[in-house]
Each structure stands twice: as C-alpha cells, then as structure tokens.
Amino acid sequence: MEGRIVDVLKTVYDPEIPVDIYELGMIYKIDVQDNGNVDIDMTFTAPNCPAADFILEDVRTKVEGVEGVKGANINLVFEPQWDQSMMSEEARVELGF
C-alpha cells in the first residue's frame, strides 16, 4: 500500500514548482497502520508557503482515495528544516541544480 501512496503523492505539486512534492523531499514519513489509517509527516520548502492549505488538502484527498486507506492524518512539520539536499536527483535535474 505504501507504494500506491507514494504514487499518488507524486501527483501533488506546489503550484510554483514544476516538481512533485515527493521528489522535492517534502515527505518525511509515511506510516501505514494495520487498521488502514495513514500518518504522513511532511513539510514545505518555506514555512510561509502561500499554497499550504491547497497542498495539504490535495495530499489528504489523494491518499484517502488509495484503495485500503481508511483515513489520512497529515502532520505538517518543520524539523528538520527542508533544504535542497532533500530533493531527488530527478528533481535537481528538472530544476537545473
């Protein structure tokens, strides 16, 4: 199930960045519980992200749409603080780093 969750997270984008939030390294933890609930720790590239509410709701909606998921708890965290080293190689190439 975690693989399917990762797949849907790769369809969530910050409107200002042409790379999905998973490849950007904004997902810190995915914890799938036996009862079908999912806890996700995620962050933003900046604490004052203007699209924060939109992105959080998009994550919740898409994860809860995965077969077998009963509910999703999305925890917004800022520790550790996000930086460019958290991006995948694919994201770095896409963004020209």
Side-chain angles (χ1 to χ4, degrees):
M1 184 184 311
E2 187 172 332
R4 293 192 311 266
I5 292 169
V6 168
D7 288 344
V8 299
L9 290 173
K10 288 183 176 184
T11 68
V12 178
Y13 289 80
D14 180 321
E16 298 177 347
I17 305 171
V19 175
D20 67 80
I21 64 169
Y22 189 83
E23 297 297 336
L24 282 171
M26 293 169 51
I27 303 298
Y28 289 169
K29 179 184 87 170
I30 301 170
D31 182 25
V32 180
Q33 301 167 12
D34 292 338
N35 64 2
N37 288 326
V38 178
D39 288 316
I40 295 177
D41 288 354
M42 67 172 290
T43 195
F44 291 113
T45 57
N48 57 350
C49 176
D53 291 339
F54 167 78
I55 295 169
L56 288 171
E57 188 56 32
D58 199 21
V59 168
R60 182 181 338 278
T61 301
K62 288 182 176 179
V63 170
E64 288 180 344
V66 172
E67 184 179 341
V69 172
K70 302 294 183 210
N73 181 39
I74 314 303
N75 303 304
L76 184 58
V77 298
F78 292 102
E79 291 292 325
Q81 184 175 359
W82 182 89
D83 65 51
Q84 292 179 3
S85 71
M86 296 173 173
M87 291 190 294
S88 70
E89 185 63 32
E90 177 182 310
R92 290 181 195 168
V93 169
E94 178 69 28
L95 295 174
F97 292 114

